[in-house]
């Protein structure tokens, strides 16, 4: 049962985080709004939209949305900065990026606190997001020399459009590596959250002379400037397939360098398997951040004869999931709670998923587990409209989005199969994914089936992750377009190499323009 007398941990309220942000970067924060950063200047332009925290529905800072004309001015200014920065020697670029990392480290807890309020990350995961950004970029700083040997920056700045779920370890990480490689960088703040965290991070980078542009606005309004403008040297996108498909068409038409990571239905197959204790141990970890991750596993494809064993392993694990207010404690001296997840990104997303679950059940899906918010950790009388307890459905109908698309929330679906052909068909339901896993006792069976699974990374009884250092990362089918990244390839994706170089990745039948 959930504790009955919880309080908000002192010093962690949104007004506390906002006051600390104002003190840390007064140039970037103004009264109750954030500013846009372009032409090396923080500007109070754009129409600031209201926003609320998914944690409890309270007001927070919204994005100051620019119009298309202003975004084009920002892109032209970024090109001027790029032309100067690309000639800065690597040791100087590395020194400025290192100084930025030191500043991010000094503000680690504030950045994490902003992530909690803006996108609902539990404290542990918010800190991990900040740490992965800092540690990851340091690895590139330390090894930049060999990675950049014989390579030059792109002709124009790199434009970054990313989803809201990992502002630091995906977006800020990418920005700083791209800048280290000699490029000016542009970022669009995600519409659904993270603007204050990104603003603080970019303010710290700009102070060290890193050429960063940070703008807010709708994708439709800014895409002409951030995607199609001739000044842009590369487009890096993380998000949904519909938006990604439009960007892919735009960049392919002109041969522009691109890295487009898109959603896919990552699947976990169970075939001729007896090691169910390993599955029980990993299930709670698969619910980190409410499965609001590009490498989450929302679909299990299970051999019918093993279904009873699977349920015996799965259900106790999913019943142990901990969720609630990320900063609710029993006494002032307590640390923030260890939660698997807090709210979804907003109340609309929680309602959308709840409606999809209801509709799927109405069309024949069998509910195997439905968690209850009454068992979660909440403050008295707080708004819980953005929260959704874990749900598990057996055999969602083909007409349901839960059958073929990534839910991006704590909803698992299970499909039963009788043959290997059915297993592969069900695991490949979304025509391409980033990761997959196959649990099977026989190594030969894994070696035979894994290459037929349409995922870029496939694990043998273990989950796979995005990764950025020791191995490259990409996707199959509709889950990825353009250059693969990870390790030195993340640097190669945003630099030019020898004439005629062909970067590893999913490209149409043409060579990238130099």
């Amino acid at each position: 049962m959930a504790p009955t007398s919880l309080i908000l941990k002192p010093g962690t309220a949104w007004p506390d985080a906002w006051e600390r942000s104002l003190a840390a970067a007064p140039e970037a924060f103004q009264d109750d709004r954030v500013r846009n950063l372009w032409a090396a200047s923080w500007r109070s332009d754009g129409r600031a939209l209201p926003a609320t925290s998914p944690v409890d529905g309270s007001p927070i800072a919204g994005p100051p949305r620019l119009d298309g004309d202003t975004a084009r001015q920002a892109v032209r200014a970024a090109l001027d900065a790029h032309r100067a920065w690309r000639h800065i020697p690597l040791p100087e670029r590395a020194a400025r990026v290192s100084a930025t990392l030191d500043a991010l480290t000094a503000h680690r807890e504030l950045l994490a606190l902003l992530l909690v309020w803006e996108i609902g990350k539990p404290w542990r995961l918010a800190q991990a997001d900040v740490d992965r950004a800092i540690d990851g970029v340091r690895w590139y700083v330390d090894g930049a020399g060999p990675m950049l040997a014989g390579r030059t920056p792109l002709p124009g700045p790199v434009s970054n459009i990313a989803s809201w779920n990992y502002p630091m370890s995906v977006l800020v990480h990418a920005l700083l590596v791209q800048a280290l490689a000699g490029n000016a960088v542009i970022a669009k703040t995600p519409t659904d959250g993270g603007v204050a965290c990104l603003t603080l991070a970019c303010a710290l980078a700009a102070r060290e002379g890193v050429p960063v542009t940070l703008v807010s606005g709708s994708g439709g309004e800014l895409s002409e400037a951030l995607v199609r403008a001739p000044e842009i040297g590369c487009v890096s996108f993380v998000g949904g397939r519909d938006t990604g498909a439009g960007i892919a068409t735009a960049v392919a038409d002109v041969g522009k360098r691109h890295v487009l990571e898109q959603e896919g239905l990552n699947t976990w197959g169970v075939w001729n398997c007896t090691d169910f204790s390993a599955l029980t141990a990993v299930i709670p970890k698969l619910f980190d951040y409410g499965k609001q991750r590009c490498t989450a596993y929302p679909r299990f494809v299970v051999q019918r004869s093993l279904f009873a064993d699977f349920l015996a392993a799965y259900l106790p694990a999913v019943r142990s999931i901990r969720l609630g207010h990320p900063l609710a404690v029993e006494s002032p001296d307590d640390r923030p709670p260890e939660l698997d997840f807090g709210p979804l990104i907003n109340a609309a997303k929680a309602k959308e998923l709840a409606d999809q679950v209801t509709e799927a059940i109405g069309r024949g899906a069998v509910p195997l587990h439905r968690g209850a918010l009454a068992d979660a950790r909440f403050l008295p009388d707080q708004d819980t409209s953005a929260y959704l307890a874990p749900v598990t459905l057996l055999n969602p109908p083909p007409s349901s989005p839960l059958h073929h698309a990534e839910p991006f929330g704590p909803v698992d679906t299970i499909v039963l199969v009788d043959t290997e052909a059915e297993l592969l068909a069900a695991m490949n339901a979304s025509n391409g994914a980033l990761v997959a896993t196959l649990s099977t006792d026989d190594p030969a069976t894994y070696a035979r089936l894994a290459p037929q699974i349409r995922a870029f990374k496939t694990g043998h009884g273990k989950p796979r992750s995005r990764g950025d250092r020791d191995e490259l990362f990409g996707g199959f089918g509709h889950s990825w377009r353009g250059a693969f990244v990870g390790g030195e390839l993340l640097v190669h994706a945003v630099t030019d190499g020898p004439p005629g170089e062909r970067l590893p990745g999913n490209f149409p039948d043409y060579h990238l323009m130099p």
Side-chain angles (χ1 to χ4, degrees), residues 60-119:
I60 59 174
R65 300 178 68 155
L66 298 179
D67 58 30
D69 289 339
T70 307
R72 282 188 284 273
Q73 295 179 51
V75 168
R76 287 192 288 268
L79 178 60
D80 293 338
H82 178 84
R83 288 169 172 164
W85 178 253
R86 72 195 310 270
H87 296 296
I88 298 291
L90 175 59
E92 176 63 20
R93 299 199 305 264
R96 296 189 191 184
V97 172
S98 291
T100 300
L101 298 177
D102 292 341
L104 292 173
T105 301
H107 292 86
R108 170 180 180 261
E109 290 204 356
L110 175 55
L111 291 163
L113 185 58
L114 291 170
L115 289 179
V116 171
W117 283 107
E118 293 193 287
I119 61 174

Side-chain angles (χ1 to χ4, degrees), residues 34-76:
V34 297
R35 291 170 162 171
N36 289 296
L37 171 61
W38 59 276
S41 176
W42 289 98
R43 302 166 184 266
S44 300
D45 49 12
R47 180 170 60 92
L49 295 184
T52 58
S53 170
V55 171
D56 62 2
S58 59
I60 59 174
R65 300 178 68 155
L66 298 179
D67 58 30
D69 289 339
T70 307
R72 282 188 284 273
Q73 295 179 51
V75 168
R76 287 192 288 268

Side-chain angles (χ1 to χ4, degrees), residues 498-514:
E501 176 187 54
R502 178 74 171 181
L503 294 177
N506 293 327
F507 296 108
D509 293 329
Y510 64 83
H511 287 276
L512 290 176
M513 297 176 64

